[in-house]
Amino acid sequence: TRVLGIGGSFDIFAGSNKRAPNIFIRLQLEWFYRLICQPTRIFRQKAVFKLSLKLLYLGFKNSLSHPK
């Protein structure tokens, strides 16, 4: 499953930010480029990462307790 965040897209279309260089786009590391440009994002990305891990764990735990 892929998730697409559109907040950065609005910034690019509005002209307030520029798009990441092509190498970052090809490697699917635009998020990393934005993190380099805006280090304050690290706290939000850390929180999102922790939440993702928690949800994955709960999903895995539930799949073990409810076998199909």
Side-chain angles (χ1 to χ4, degrees), residues 5-32:
I6 60 168
S9 299
F10 287 134
D11 290 339
I12 291 167
F13 287 128
S16 58
N17 284 343
K18 63 179 185 171
R19 189 112 193 248
N22 284 335
I23 187 72
F24 287 94
I25 295 169
R26 280 197 307 267
L27 295 173
Q28 298 182 357
L29 291 173
E30 286 185 79
W31 64 270
F32 185 66

